[in-house]
Amino acid sequence: EIFVAEVGDTAEEDQIYRLMYDGSVADIQGFGVMGGESEQVEAHLGQHYKPNLKLGKAISIAVTALGQDVEPARTVEASALEVAVLTRARSQPRKFRRLSDADVATALGS
């Protein structure tokens, strides 16, 4: 499965879709998880995600959620992550920006 995102002129116009291998399409609201033990990760996000989070808090919640894929939960180090954000501020057609390792480490307080 893959996710496809369209960044609109406003947050209300943003769209995220999950495309399944069988060809079905699902509209995603707020956040999405794919791969691995996605049910545990998605459950954690469902409990902690709120719209309009500050970037650092959103990264922290997402990384903590990633660690919920095993019991007991694990800590995912910043060096093991590749993080990008969607942004309307970019003038290029592609509206995503990769975060540096330093930005991710700062968001995680490490």
Side-chain angles (χ1 to χ4, degrees), residues 17-61:
Y17 299 98
R18 175 182 287 155
L19 307 175
M20 308 294 205
Y21 292 117
D22 66 2
S24 61
V25 178
D27 184 27
I28 303 298
Q29 298 297 314
F31 62 87
V33 177
M34 65 182 195
E37 300 296 327
S38 60
E39 291 174 5
Q40 293 93 314
V41 175
E42 194 162 350
H44 184 84
L45 281 174
Q47 293 171 357
H48 296 91
Y49 169 81
K50 294 181 177 74
N52 303 314
L53 289 168
K54 298 279 186 196
L55 179 59
K57 184 67 173 172
I59 292 171
S60 178
I61 289 170

Tab-separated table of all heavy atoms in Angstrom, residues 17-61:
chain	number	residue	atom	x	y	z
A	17	TYR	N	-4.837	9.955	0.690
A	17	TYR	CA	-5.474	8.693	0.304
A	17	TYR	C	-4.518	7.538	0.536
A	17	TYR	O	-3.315	7.665	0.335
A	17	TYR	CB	-5.866	8.702	-1.176
A	17	TYR	CG	-6.851	9.778	-1.518
A	17	TYR	CD1	-6.434	10.980	-2.076
A	17	TYR	CD2	-8.204	9.598	-1.269
A	17	TYR	CE1	-7.342	11.980	-2.383
A	17	TYR	CE2	-9.122	10.593	-1.581
A	17	TYR	CZ	-8.683	11.774	-2.130
A	17	TYR	OH	-9.579	12.766	-2.438
A	18	ARG	N	-5.068	6.405	0.945
A	18	ARG	CA	-4.312	5.154	1.043
A	18	ARG	C	-4.739	4.293	-0.147
A	18	ARG	O	-5.916	4.005	-0.322
A	18	ARG	CB	-4.626	4.432	2.342
A	18	ARG	CG	-3.954	3.066	2.432
A	18	ARG	CD	-4.317	2.343	3.694
A	18	ARG	NE	-3.623	2.973	4.805
A	18	ARG	CZ	-4.048	2.938	6.067
A	18	ARG	NH1	-5.165	2.319	6.386
A	18	ARG	NH2	-3.354	3.509	7.015
A	19	LEU	N	-3.748	3.915	-0.964
A	19	LEU	CA	-3.995	3.047	-2.107
A	19	LEU	C	-3.551	1.649	-1.728
A	19	LEU	O	-2.389	1.422	-1.412
A	19	LEU	CB	-3.219	3.526	-3.336
A	19	LEU	CG	-3.422	4.993	-3.733
A	19	LEU	CD1	-2.506	5.363	-4.879
A	19	LEU	CD2	-4.866	5.242	-4.088
A	20	MET	N	-4.480	0.708	-1.780
A	20	MET	CA	-4.200	-0.679	-1.398
A	20	MET	C	-3.736	-1.466	-2.621
A	20	MET	O	-4.023	-1.107	-3.759
A	20	MET	CB	-5.450	-1.338	-0.821
A	20	MET	CG	-6.109	-0.561	0.285
A	20	MET	SD	-5.073	-0.465	1.723
A	20	MET	CE	-6.323	-0.240	2.952
A	21	TYR	N	-3.032	-2.552	-2.363
A	21	TYR	CA	-2.529	-3.395	-3.444
A	21	TYR	C	-3.650	-3.979	-4.294
A	21	TYR	O	-3.446	-4.264	-5.469
A	21	TYR	CB	-1.664	-4.527	-2.877
A	21	TYR	CG	-0.382	-4.016	-2.288
A	21	TYR	CD1	-0.108	-4.162	-0.938
A	21	TYR	CD2	0.564	-3.378	-3.081
A	21	TYR	CE1	1.071	-3.683	-0.393
A	21	TYR	CE2	1.744	-2.897	-2.555
A	21	TYR	CZ	1.997	-3.055	-1.208
A	21	TYR	OH	3.158	-2.578	-0.678
A	22	ASP	N	-4.840	-4.145	-3.723
A	22	ASP	CA	-5.956	-4.693	-4.488
A	22	ASP	C	-6.653	-3.639	-5.350
A	22	ASP	O	-7.636	-3.921	-6.021
A	22	ASP	CB	-6.965	-5.374	-3.568
A	22	ASP	CG	-7.675	-4.409	-2.624
A	22	ASP	OD1	-7.429	-3.185	-2.689
A	22	ASP	OD2	-8.482	-4.890	-1.801
A	23	GLY	N	-6.145	-2.401	-5.318
A	23	GLY	CA	-6.707	-1.322	-6.124
A	23	GLY	C	-7.716	-0.452	-5.404
A	23	GLY	O	-8.162	0.552	-5.948
A	24	SER	N	-8.085	-0.813	-4.185
A	24	SER	CA	-9.044	0.014	-3.451
A	24	SER	C	-8.357	1.273	-2.916
A	24	SER	O	-7.145	1.314	-2.725
A	24	SER	CB	-9.679	-0.786	-2.307
A	24	SER	OG	-8.699	-1.218	-1.397
A	25	VAL	N	-9.155	2.291	-2.694
A	25	VAL	CA	-8.673	3.586	-2.237
A	25	VAL	C	-9.454	3.980	-0.997
A	25	VAL	O	-10.676	3.844	-0.944
A	25	VAL	CB	-8.870	4.667	-3.331
A	25	VAL	CG1	-8.410	6.025	-2.841
A	25	VAL	CG2	-8.147	4.274	-4.615
A	26	ALA	N	-8.729	4.470	0.032
A	26	ALA	CA	-9.387	4.928	1.253
A	26	ALA	C	-8.983	6.372	1.530
A	26	ALA	O	-7.810	6.734	1.413
A	26	ALA	CB	-8.997	4.035	2.437
A	27	ASP	N	-9.940	7.194	1.895
A	27	ASP	CA	-9.704	8.577	2.293
A	27	ASP	C	-9.187	8.557	3.726
A	27	ASP	O	-9.790	7.944	4.608
A	27	ASP	CB	-11.012	9.359	2.189
A	27	ASP	CG	-10.849	10.833	2.496
A	27	ASP	OD1	-9.747	11.374	2.296
A	27	ASP	OD2	-11.837	11.440	2.938
A	28	ILE	N	-8.067	9.214	3.998
A	28	ILE	CA	-7.443	9.223	5.321
A	28	ILE	C	-7.643	10.596	5.955
A	28	ILE	O	-7.424	11.619	5.314
A	28	ILE	CB	-5.928	8.926	5.210
A	28	ILE	CG1	-5.681	7.596	4.519
A	28	ILE	CG2	-5.258	8.979	6.575
A	28	ILE	CD1	-6.238	6.407	5.220
A	29	GLN	N	-8.034	10.615	7.202
A	29	GLN	CA	-8.227	11.866	7.934
A	29	GLN	C	-7.190	11.972	9.057
A	29	GLN	O	-7.087	11.076	9.889
A	29	GLN	CB	-9.630	11.927	8.540
A	29	GLN	CG	-10.755	11.893	7.525
A	29	GLN	CD	-10.727	13.083	6.602
A	29	GLN	OE1	-10.566	14.218	7.023
A	29	GLN	NE2	-10.869	12.821	5.321
A	30	GLY	N	-6.413	13.043	9.064
A	30	GLY	CA	-5.499	13.327	10.169
A	30	GLY	C	-4.156	12.650	10.072
A	30	GLY	O	-3.136	13.314	10.008
A	31	PHE	N	-4.123	11.331	10.068
A	31	PHE	CA	-2.856	10.598	10.014
A	31	PHE	C	-3.101	9.223	9.423
A	31	PHE	O	-4.227	8.746	9.386
A	31	PHE	CB	-2.238	10.461	11.409
A	31	PHE	CG	-3.099	9.689	12.362
A	31	PHE	CD1	-3.012	8.303	12.433
A	31	PHE	CD2	-4.017	10.329	13.181
A	31	PHE	CE1	-3.821	7.583	13.299
A	31	PHE	CE2	-4.820	9.621	14.058
A	31	PHE	CZ	-4.723	8.240	14.110
A	32	GLY	N	-2.016	8.600	8.979
A	32	GLY	CA	-2.104	7.251	8.446
A	32	GLY	C	-0.852	6.481	8.802
A	32	GLY	O	0.211	7.052	9.015
A	33	VAL	N	-0.989	5.169	8.870
A	33	VAL	CA	0.126	4.286	9.220
A	33	VAL	C	0.129	3.132	8.236
A	33	VAL	O	-0.920	2.595	7.902
A	33	VAL	CB	-0.043	3.736	10.658
A	33	VAL	CG1	1.064	2.765	11.003
A	33	VAL	CG2	-0.102	4.883	11.667
A	34	MET	N	1.333	2.739	7.794
A	34	MET	CA	1.424	1.562	6.930
A	34	MET	C	2.670	0.769	7.279
A	34	MET	O	3.635	1.311	7.809
A	34	MET	CB	1.438	1.952	5.462
A	34	MET	CG	2.616	2.736	5.025
A	34	MET	SD	2.404	3.136	3.288
A	34	MET	CE	4.053	3.629	2.901
A	35	GLY	N	2.605	-0.519	7.004
A	35	GLY	CA	3.743	-1.394	7.214
A	35	GLY	C	3.842	-1.924	8.627
A	35	GLY	O	3.202	-1.414	9.550
A	36	GLY	N	4.655	-2.967	8.783
A	36	GLY	CA	4.947	-3.538	10.091
A	36	GLY	C	3.711	-3.823	10.918
A	36	GLY	O	2.701	-4.292	10.422
A	37	GLU	N	3.799	-3.518	12.172
A	37	GLU	CA	2.691	-3.707	13.117
A	37	GLU	C	1.876	-2.418	13.199
A	37	GLU	O	1.793	-1.778	14.240
A	37	GLU	CB	3.246	-4.089	14.490
A	37	GLU	CG	4.046	-5.373	14.501
A	37	GLU	CD	3.188	-6.577	14.153
A	37	GLU	OE1	1.985	-6.596	14.483
A	37	GLU	OE2	3.732	-7.503	13.530
A	38	SER	N	1.276	-2.055	12.083
A	38	SER	CA	0.615	-0.756	11.978
A	38	SER	C	-0.579	-0.599	12.911
A	38	SER	O	-0.913	0.520	13.298
A	38	SER	CB	0.197	-0.479	10.539
A	38	SER	OG	-0.695	-1.455	10.071
A	39	GLU	N	-1.213	-1.688	13.324
A	39	GLU	CA	-2.382	-1.563	14.202
A	39	GLU	C	-2.008	-0.959	15.551
A	39	GLU	O	-2.706	-0.078	16.063
A	39	GLU	CB	-3.054	-2.918	14.384
A	39	GLU	CG	-3.716	-3.411	13.122
A	39	GLU	CD	-4.260	-4.826	13.248
A	39	GLU	OE1	-4.205	-5.405	14.350
A	39	GLU	OE2	-4.732	-5.347	12.227
A	40	GLN	N	-0.885	-1.403	16.142
A	40	GLN	CA	-0.462	-0.870	17.430
A	40	GLN	C	-0.026	0.594	17.291
A	40	GLN	O	-0.328	1.427	18.144
A	40	GLN	CB	0.707	-1.683	18.025
A	40	GLN	CG	0.340	-3.078	18.421
A	40	GLN	CD	0.594	-4.081	17.310
A	40	GLN	OE1	0.258	-3.874	16.154
A	40	GLN	NE2	1.185	-5.205	17.666
A	41	VAL	N	0.696	0.878	16.225
A	41	VAL	CA	1.163	2.240	15.978
A	41	VAL	C	-0.029	3.164	15.771
A	41	VAL	O	-0.105	4.255	16.350
A	41	VAL	CB	2.123	2.274	14.773
A	41	VAL	CG1	2.529	3.697	14.435
A	41	VAL	CG2	3.357	1.406	15.044
A	42	GLU	N	-0.987	2.723	14.960
A	42	GLU	CA	-2.174	3.536	14.683
A	42	GLU	C	-3.013	3.751	15.944
A	42	GLU	O	-3.552	4.838	16.155
A	42	GLU	CB	-3.014	2.889	13.589
A	42	GLU	CG	-4.051	3.822	13.020
A	42	GLU	CD	-4.585	3.353	11.680
A	42	GLU	OE1	-4.047	2.422	11.073
A	42	GLU	OE2	-5.559	3.968	11.246
A	43	ALA	N	-3.099	2.741	16.803
A	43	ALA	CA	-3.844	2.898	18.058
A	43	ALA	C	-3.210	3.970	18.931
A	43	ALA	O	-3.908	4.815	19.509
A	43	ALA	CB	-3.901	1.564	18.804
A	44	HIS	N	-1.879	3.967	19.017
A	44	HIS	CA	-1.187	4.986	19.827
A	44	HIS	C	-1.423	6.384	19.245
A	44	HIS	O	-1.718	7.325	19.985
A	44	HIS	CB	0.308	4.680	19.895
A	44	HIS	CG	1.058	5.626	20.770
A	44	HIS	ND1	1.148	5.463	22.129
A	44	HIS	CD2	1.712	6.777	20.491
A	44	HIS	CE1	1.849	6.455	22.636
A	44	HIS	NE2	2.199	7.266	21.660
A	45	LEU	N	-1.306	6.502	17.924
A	45	LEU	CA	-1.556	7.799	17.297
A	45	LEU	C	-2.988	8.260	17.541
A	45	LEU	O	-3.236	9.443	17.798
A	45	LEU	CB	-1.284	7.732	15.797
A	45	LEU	CG	0.171	7.794	15.378
A	45	LEU	CD1	0.306	7.572	13.880
A	45	LEU	CD2	0.801	9.110	15.773
A	46	GLY	N	-3.927	7.339	17.446
A	46	GLY	CA	-5.325	7.686	17.672
A	46	GLY	C	-5.573	8.266	19.055
A	46	GLY	O	-6.445	9.121	19.238
A	47	GLN	N	-4.795	7.834	20.022
A	47	GLN	CA	-4.941	8.335	21.395
A	47	GLN	C	-4.236	9.672	21.615
A	47	GLN	O	-4.616	10.424	22.511
A	47	GLN	CB	-4.383	7.321	22.387
A	47	GLN	CG	-5.165	6.044	22.446
A	47	GLN	CD	-4.444	4.986	23.276
A	47	GLN	OE1	-3.343	5.190	23.760
A	47	GLN	NE2	-5.078	3.835	23.419
A	48	HIS	N	-3.199	9.972	20.816
A	48	HIS	CA	-2.361	11.138	21.103
A	48	HIS	C	-2.368	12.226	20.037
A	48	HIS	O	-1.976	13.352	20.311
A	48	HIS	CB	-0.919	10.684	21.343
A	48	HIS	CG	-0.793	9.814	22.543
A	48	HIS	ND1	-0.897	8.441	22.479
A	48	HIS	CD2	-0.628	10.110	23.847
A	48	HIS	CE1	-0.777	7.931	23.681
A	48	HIS	NE2	-0.624	8.919	24.531
A	49	TYR	N	-2.804	11.904	18.825
A	49	TYR	CA	-2.801	12.891	17.749
A	49	TYR	C	-3.908	13.917	17.954
A	49	TYR	O	-5.023	13.587	18.351
A	49	TYR	CB	-3.009	12.207	16.391
A	49	TYR	CG	-3.275	13.194	15.280
A	49	TYR	CD1	-2.236	13.864	14.663
A	49	TYR	CD2	-4.577	13.468	14.864
A	49	TYR	CE1	-2.480	14.788	13.654
A	49	TYR	CE2	-4.828	14.378	13.856
A	49	TYR	CZ	-3.785	15.036	13.264
A	49	TYR	OH	-4.025	15.956	12.282
A	50	LYS	N	-3.570	15.167	17.675
A	50	LYS	CA	-4.547	16.263	17.650
A	50	LYS	C	-4.209	17.129	16.438
A	50	LYS	O	-3.043	17.311	16.117
A	50	LYS	CB	-4.441	17.100	18.917
A	50	LYS	CG	-4.828	16.372	20.178
A	50	LYS	CD	-4.719	17.315	21.379
A	50	LYS	CE	-5.154	16.669	22.642
A	50	LYS	NZ	-4.268	15.698	23.223
A	51	PRO	N	-5.197	17.682	15.773
A	51	PRO	CA	-4.905	18.580	14.651
A	51	PRO	C	-4.097	19.793	15.117
A	51	PRO	O	-4.184	20.200	16.278
A	51	PRO	CB	-6.294	19.019	14.170
A	51	PRO	CG	-7.226	17.980	14.679
A	51	PRO	CD	-6.629	17.483	15.967
A	52	ASN	N	-3.304	20.340	14.223
A	52	ASN	CA	-2.556	21.582	14.439
A	52	ASN	C	-1.476	21.478	15.506
A	52	ASN	O	-1.158	22.471	16.164
A	52	ASN	CB	-3.506	22.742	14.754
A	52	ASN	CG	-4.532	22.947	13.666
A	52	ASN	OD1	-4.186	22.960	12.486
A	52	ASN	ND2	-5.791	23.058	14.031
A	53	LEU	N	-0.896	20.300	15.678
A	53	LEU	CA	0.222	20.155	16.608
A	53	LEU	C	1.427	20.936	16.100
A	53	LEU	O	1.634	21.058	14.891
A	53	LEU	CB	0.629	18.683	16.732
A	53	LEU	CG	-0.326	17.754	17.461
A	53	LEU	CD1	0.077	16.305	17.225
A	53	LEU	CD2	-0.311	18.069	18.946
A	54	LYS	N	2.231	21.444	17.007
A	54	LYS	CA	3.516	22.035	16.628
A	54	LYS	C	4.381	20.918	16.067
A	54	LYS	O	4.256	19.752	16.464
A	54	LYS	CB	4.207	22.661	17.839
A	54	LYS	CG	3.430	23.799	18.471
A	54	LYS	CD	3.668	25.051	17.687
A	54	LYS	CE	3.008	26.214	18.426
A	54	LYS	NZ	2.869	27.360	17.592
A	55	LEU	N	5.281	21.248	15.155
A	55	LEU	CA	6.071	20.244	14.458
A	55	LEU	C	6.843	19.345	15.421
A	55	LEU	O	6.818	18.120	15.296
A	55	LEU	CB	7.036	20.909	13.472
A	55	LEU	CG	7.933	19.960	12.689
A	55	LEU	CD1	7.120	18.971	11.880
A	55	LEU	CD2	8.873	20.760	11.797
A	56	GLY	N	7.517	19.921	16.397
A	56	GLY	CA	8.295	19.121	17.341
A	56	GLY	C	7.438	18.126	18.093
A	56	GLY	O	7.823	16.963	18.278
A	57	LYS	N	6.264	18.543	18.521
A	57	LYS	CA	5.351	17.662	19.249
A	57	LYS	C	4.825	16.564	18.327
A	57	LYS	O	4.719	15.400	18.732
A	57	LYS	CB	4.190	18.474	19.840
A	57	LYS	CG	3.242	17.675	20.680
A	57	LYS	CD	3.901	17.172	21.951
A	57	LYS	CE	2.876	16.514	22.857
A	57	LYS	NZ	3.502	15.867	23.992
A	58	ALA	N	4.501	16.917	17.089
A	58	ALA	CA	4.021	15.918	16.135
A	58	ALA	C	5.084	14.854	15.875
A	58	ALA	O	4.775	13.660	15.846
A	58	ALA	CB	3.607	16.597	14.831
A	59	ILE	N	6.328	15.273	15.706
A	59	ILE	CA	7.410	14.311	15.494
A	59	ILE	C	7.563	13.423	16.716
A	59	ILE	O	7.682	12.202	16.604
A	59	ILE	CB	8.737	15.037	15.171
A	59	ILE	CG1	8.643	15.704	13.805
A	59	ILE	CG2	9.915	14.057	15.226
A	59	ILE	CD1	9.816	16.618	13.486
A	60	SER	N	7.542	14.009	17.892
A	60	SER	CA	7.684	13.240	19.130
A	60	SER	C	6.585	12.181	19.267
A	60	SER	O	6.853	11.016	19.596
A	60	SER	CB	7.665	14.191	20.329
A	60	SER	OG	7.755	13.478	21.528
A	61	ILE	N	5.347	12.569	19.012
A	61	ILE	CA	4.226	11.628	19.097
A	61	ILE	C	4.380	10.516	18.049
A	61	ILE	O	4.178	9.333	18.349
A	61	ILE	CB	2.882	12.360	18.919
A	61	ILE	CG1	2.595	13.207	20.156
A	61	ILE	CG2	1.740	11.379	18.663
A	61	ILE	CD1	1.430	14.161	20.002
